[in-house]
Protein backbone atom coordinates (compact mmCIF):
# COMPACT_ATOMS: atom_id res chain seq x y z
CA UNK A 1 0.00 0.00 0.00
CA UNK A 2 1.23 3.47 -0.86
CA UNK A 3 1.82 5.90 2.00
CA UNK A 4 -0.85 8.62 2.24
CA UNK A 5 -0.16 11.33 -0.36
CA UNK A 6 -1.38 14.94 -0.27
CA UNK A 7 -1.30 16.85 -3.58
CA UNK A 8 -1.45 20.63 -3.36
CA UNK A 9 -1.79 23.25 -6.07
CA UNK A 10 -4.08 25.83 -7.62
CA UNK A 11 -7.37 24.85 -9.20
CA UNK A 12 -6.89 23.40 -12.67
CA UNK A 13 -3.25 22.34 -12.31
CA UNK A 14 -4.06 18.66 -12.85
CA UNK A 15 -4.06 17.26 -9.30
CA UNK A 16 -6.66 14.63 -10.22
CA UNK A 17 -4.61 13.49 -13.20
CA UNK A 18 -1.52 13.14 -11.01
CA UNK A 19 -3.55 11.05 -8.54
CA UNK A 20 -4.67 8.71 -11.33
CA UNK A 21 -1.11 8.36 -12.62
CA UNK A 22 0.09 7.44 -9.12
CA UNK A 23 -2.67 4.84 -8.81
CA UNK A 24 -1.92 3.33 -12.21
CA UNK A 25 1.76 3.05 -11.33
CA UNK A 26 1.10 1.37 -7.98
CA UNK A 27 0.64 -2.27 -7.01
CA UNK A 28 -3.10 -1.52 -6.72
CA UNK A 29 -3.52 -0.47 -10.33
CA UNK A 30 -5.92 -3.33 -11.10
CA UNK A 31 -8.21 -2.39 -8.20
CA UNK A 32 -10.68 0.49 -7.98
CA UNK A 33 -9.73 4.16 -8.16
CA UNK A 34 -12.57 5.87 -6.28
CA UNK A 35 -12.96 9.64 -6.23
CA UNK A 36 -14.81 11.80 -3.71
CA UNK A 37 -14.98 15.54 -4.40
CA UNK A 38 -15.76 17.44 -1.24
CA UNK A 39 -17.09 20.40 -3.25
CA UNK A 40 -19.36 18.38 -5.54
CA UNK A 41 -21.54 16.59 -2.97
CA UNK A 42 -23.95 18.40 -0.59
CA UNK A 43 -22.71 18.27 3.00
CA UNK A 44 -25.75 16.33 4.26
CA UNK A 45 -25.04 13.54 1.75
CA UNK A 46 -21.26 13.28 2.25
CA UNK A 47 -21.40 10.87 5.20
CA UNK A 48 -23.73 8.37 3.55
CA UNK A 49 -21.74 8.62 0.32
CA UNK A 50 -18.46 7.93 2.07
CA UNK A 51 -19.56 5.36 4.66
CA UNK A 52 -22.61 3.81 3.00
CA UNK A 53 -25.78 2.84 4.87
CA UNK A 54 -28.05 -0.03 5.84
CA UNK A 55 -31.66 -0.36 4.83
CA UNK A 56 -33.83 1.77 7.10
CA UNK A 57 -30.91 3.85 8.40
CA UNK A 58 -32.83 7.01 7.47
CA UNK A 59 -35.92 8.04 5.54
CA UNK A 60 -35.54 6.93 1.94
CA UNK A 61 -32.95 4.23 2.65
CA UNK A 62 -34.95 1.43 1.05
CA UNK A 63 -31.93 -0.82 0.52
CA UNK A 64 -28.38 -1.15 1.78
CA UNK A 65 -25.62 0.63 -0.10
CA UNK A 66 -21.83 0.34 0.32
CA UNK A 67 -19.95 3.61 0.75
CA UNK A 68 -16.94 4.74 -1.23
CA UNK A 69 -14.64 3.55 1.55
CA UNK A 70 -15.86 0.01 0.95
CA UNK A 71 -15.81 0.34 -2.83
CA UNK A 72 -12.16 1.41 -2.58
CA UNK A 73 -11.21 -1.64 -0.46
CA UNK A 74 -7.79 -2.84 -1.65
CA UNK A 75 -7.73 0.05 -4.11
CA UNK A 76 -7.20 3.82 -3.96
CA UNK A 77 -9.48 6.51 -2.55
CA UNK A 78 -8.91 9.99 -4.00
CA UNK A 79 -10.22 12.75 -1.73
CA UNK A 80 -10.39 15.85 -3.89
CA UNK A 81 -11.00 19.24 -2.22
CA UNK A 82 -10.32 17.50 1.10
CA UNK A 83 -10.20 20.83 2.97
CA UNK A 84 -13.96 21.17 2.44
CA UNK A 85 -14.87 18.05 4.43
CA UNK A 86 -16.97 19.07 7.47
CA UNK A 87 -15.29 18.67 10.89
CA UNK A 88 -17.56 15.84 12.09
CA UNK A 89 -16.80 13.83 8.97
CA UNK A 90 -13.08 14.51 9.36
CA UNK A 91 -13.13 12.79 12.76
CA UNK A 92 -14.94 9.73 11.41
CA UNK A 93 -12.64 9.49 8.42
CA UNK A 94 -9.60 9.65 10.70
CA UNK A 95 -10.88 6.70 12.72
CA UNK A 96 -11.40 4.61 9.57
CA UNK A 97 -7.89 5.38 8.36
CA UNK A 98 -6.39 4.48 11.73
CA UNK A 99 -8.44 1.31 12.32
CA UNK A 100 -8.86 0.06 8.74
CA UNK A 101 -12.51 -0.62 9.50
CA UNK A 102 -15.63 1.15 8.24
CA UNK A 103 -19.15 0.92 9.64
CA UNK A 104 -22.14 1.81 7.49
CA UNK A 105 -24.79 4.17 8.82
CA UNK A 106 -27.31 2.12 10.75
CA UNK A 107 -24.99 -0.87 11.13
CA UNK A 108 -23.55 -2.36 14.31
CA UNK A 109 -20.63 -4.17 12.71
CA UNK A 110 -17.50 -2.95 11.02
CA UNK A 111 -16.15 -4.12 7.67
CA UNK A 112 -12.54 -3.99 6.40
CA UNK A 113 -11.38 -0.89 4.55
CA UNK A 114 -7.87 -1.53 3.25
CA UNK A 115 -7.33 1.58 1.16
CA UNK A 116 -4.54 3.75 -0.17
CA UNK A 117 -5.47 7.41 0.23
CA UNK A 118 -4.51 10.28 -2.06
CA UNK A 119 -5.85 13.71 -1.14
CA UNK A 120 -5.80 17.03 -2.96
CA UNK A 121 -6.48 20.62 -2.06
CA UNK A 122 -6.01 24.12 -3.42
CA UNK A 123 -6.16 25.59 0.09
CA UNK A 124 -3.42 26.25 2.63
CA UNK A 125 -4.13 23.46 5.12
CA UNK A 126 -1.75 25.00 7.66
CA UNK A 127 -4.01 28.07 7.77
CA UNK A 128 -7.08 25.82 7.95
CA UNK A 129 -5.55 24.01 10.93
CA UNK A 130 -4.78 27.28 12.71
CA UNK A 131 -8.37 28.45 12.19
CA UNK A 132 -9.65 25.04 13.40
CA UNK A 133 -11.38 24.28 10.12
CA UNK A 134 -9.23 21.20 9.53
CA UNK A 135 -8.01 18.63 12.03
CA UNK A 136 -4.26 18.57 12.55
CA UNK A 137 -4.28 14.83 13.34
CA UNK A 138 -6.10 14.09 10.08
CA UNK A 139 -3.60 16.26 8.20
CA UNK A 140 -0.70 14.18 9.54
CA UNK A 141 -2.56 11.01 8.60
CA UNK A 142 -3.10 12.23 5.00
CA UNK A 143 0.23 13.94 4.34
CA UNK A 144 2.95 11.36 4.83
CA UNK A 145 4.14 12.57 1.41
CA UNK A 146 3.24 15.99 -0.01
CA UNK A 147 3.45 16.82 -3.71
CA UNK A 148 3.11 20.43 -4.86
CA UNK A 149 1.92 20.98 -8.44
CA UNK A 150 3.15 24.36 -9.74
CA UNK A 151 0.76 26.65 -11.63
CA UNK A 152 0.99 26.57 -15.41
CA UNK A 153 2.60 30.04 -15.57
CA UNK A 154 5.61 28.62 -13.71
CA UNK A 155 6.05 25.52 -15.87
CA UNK A 156 8.41 27.05 -18.47
CA UNK A 157 8.72 24.98 -21.65
CA UNK A 158 6.12 22.52 -20.31
CA UNK A 159 3.47 25.02 -21.47
CA UNK A 160 4.39 24.45 -25.11
CA UNK A 161 4.42 20.67 -24.69
CA UNK A 162 1.06 20.68 -22.90
CA UNK A 163 -0.45 22.92 -25.59
CA UNK A 164 0.72 20.61 -28.37
CA UNK A 165 -0.63 17.56 -26.53
CA UNK A 166 -3.96 19.32 -26.01
CA UNK A 167 -4.04 20.20 -29.71
CA UNK A 168 -3.45 16.59 -30.77
CA UNK A 169 -6.15 15.34 -28.38
CA UNK A 170 -8.67 17.92 -29.58
CA UNK A 171 -8.07 17.12 -33.25
CA UNK A 172 -8.54 13.41 -32.55
CA UNK A 173 -11.59 13.95 -30.35
CA UNK A 174 -13.42 15.99 -32.95
CA UNK A 175 -12.26 13.79 -35.85
CA UNK A 176 -10.86 16.75 -37.72
CA UNK A 177 -7.70 17.22 -39.77
CA UNK A 178 -4.41 17.76 -37.98
CA UNK A 179 -3.75 21.38 -37.05
CA UNK A 180 -0.80 23.31 -35.72
CA UNK A 181 -0.30 26.49 -33.75
CA UNK A 182 1.27 29.50 -35.43
CA UNK A 183 4.51 30.95 -34.04
CA UNK A 184 2.53 33.97 -32.77
CA UNK A 185 0.01 31.70 -31.05
CA UNK A 186 2.78 29.70 -29.36
CA UNK A 187 4.45 32.89 -28.18
CA UNK A 188 1.17 34.09 -26.66
CA UNK A 189 0.63 30.72 -24.97
CA UNK A 190 4.06 30.95 -23.35
CA UNK A 191 3.57 34.51 -22.05
CA UNK A 192 -0.09 34.35 -20.97
CA UNK A 193 -0.58 34.01 -17.20
CA UNK A 194 -3.18 31.17 -17.37
CA UNK A 195 -5.26 31.91 -14.26
CA UNK A 196 -7.24 28.73 -14.95
CA UNK A 197 -4.07 26.66 -15.40
CA UNK A 198 -4.09 23.43 -17.46
CA UNK A 199 -7.90 23.28 -17.45
CA UNK A 200 -8.06 26.71 -19.10
CA UNK A 201 -5.35 25.76 -21.60
CA UNK A 202 -7.28 22.65 -22.68
CA UNK A 203 -10.48 24.69 -23.07
CA UNK A 204 -8.75 27.38 -25.16
CA UNK A 205 -7.18 24.80 -27.47
CA UNK A 206 -10.42 22.86 -27.94
CA UNK A 207 -12.31 26.04 -28.81
CA UNK A 208 -9.66 27.07 -31.31
CA UNK A 209 -9.72 23.66 -32.99
CA UNK A 210 -13.49 23.79 -33.32
CA UNK A 211 -13.78 27.38 -34.55
CA UNK A 212 -10.64 27.94 -36.62
CA UNK A 213 -11.23 26.95 -40.29
CA UNK A 214 -7.53 26.87 -41.22
CA UNK A 215 -4.90 24.20 -40.54
CA UNK A 216 -2.67 26.74 -38.81
CA UNK A 217 -4.26 28.29 -35.73
CA UNK A 218 -3.42 32.01 -35.44
CA UNK A 219 -3.09 33.98 -32.22
CA UNK A 220 -6.46 35.66 -32.74
CA UNK A 221 -8.26 32.29 -32.66
CA UNK A 222 -7.09 31.63 -29.10
CA UNK A 223 -9.07 34.47 -27.57
CA UNK A 224 -6.47 35.23 -24.88
CA UNK A 225 -4.29 38.22 -24.08
CA UNK A 226 -0.67 38.27 -25.13
CA UNK A 227 0.59 38.82 -21.57
Amino acid sequence: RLPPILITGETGTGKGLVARIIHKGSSRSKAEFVELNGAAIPEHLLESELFGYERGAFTGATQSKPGLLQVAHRGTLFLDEVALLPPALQAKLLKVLEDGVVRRLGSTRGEPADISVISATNEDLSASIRSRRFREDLYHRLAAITLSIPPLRERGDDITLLAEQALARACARFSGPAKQLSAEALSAIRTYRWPGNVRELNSVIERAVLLCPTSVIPFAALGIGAT
Side-chain angles (χ1 to χ4, degrees):
R1 182 169 63 186
L2 289 170
I5 298 172
L6 175 66
I7 305 173
T8 64
E10 295 180 4
T11 297
T13 51
K15 297 186 292 295
L17 177 60
V18 171
R20 288 182 179 276
I21 290 171
I22 293 172
H23 169 73
K24 288 181 178 180
S26 74
S27 60
R28 299 190 172 211
S29 59
K30 297 185 184 303
E32 294 284 344
F33 178 88
V34 180
E35 181 175 352
L36 175 73
N37 188 313
I41 301 175
E43 184 173 329
H44 68 282
L45 296 178
L46 272 172
E47 185 172 2
S48 61
E49 189 73 14
L50 191 57
F51 291 87
Y53 52 83
E54 295 291 346
R55 179 180 178 183
F58 51 83
T59 302
T62 57
Q63 61 183 12
S64 298
K65 178 185 176 182
L68 297 182
L69 285 164
Q70 284 183 279
V71 176
H73 180 55
R74 295 181 178 169
T76 300
L77 177 67
F78 176 47
L79 297 170
D80 198 7
E81 304 291 358
V82 68
L84 299 181
L85 293 178
L89 193 59
Q90 292 178 30
K92 294 180 179 180
L93 174 61
L94 176 63
K95 183 169 179 57
V96 171
L97 297 180
E98 290 183 337
D99 297 344
V101 175
V102 60
R103 191 175 70 180
R104 299 185 194 185
L105 299 180
S107 176
T108 58
R109 64 184 180 89
E111 300 181 56
D114 174 14
I115 54 177
S116 288
V117 180
I118 303 175
S119 307
T121 183
N122 60 6
E123 294 193 23
D124 181 355
L125 285 187
S126 297
S128 297
I129 291 169
R130 289 194 297 271
S131 63
R132 299 185 181 277
R133 291 184 293 112
F134 199 83
R135 295 179 64 102
E136 185 174 6
D137 47 6
L138 179 58
Y139 169 78
H140 293 306
R141 170 59 74 171
L142 295 176
I145 295 176
T146 300
L147 302 177
S148 180
I149 309 299
L152 188 57
R153 61 185 173 274
E154 297 177 4
R155 304 268 293 261
D157 291 339
D158 283 355
I159 299 176
T160 301
L161 295 174
L162 289 168
E164 291 174 345
Q165 290 175 356
L167 180 62
R169 284 197 306 270
C171 291
R173 178 179 303 167
F174 302 124
S175 301
K179 295 189 177 185
Q180 64 183 49
L181 296 160
S182 70
E184 187 182 12
L186 283 171
S187 176
I189 285 171
R190 285 191 292 266
T191 57
Y192 183 58
R193 297 293 292 170
W194 297 109
N197 290 296
V198 179
R199 185 175 295 132
E200 182 185 8
L201 173 65
N202 290 336
S203 178
V204 165
I205 295 296
E206 285 188 0
R207 182 175 62 243
V209 168
L210 282 171
L211 300 181
C212 180
T214 60
S215 61
V216 177
I217 298 175
F219 161 66
L222 298 177
I224 60 172
T227 58

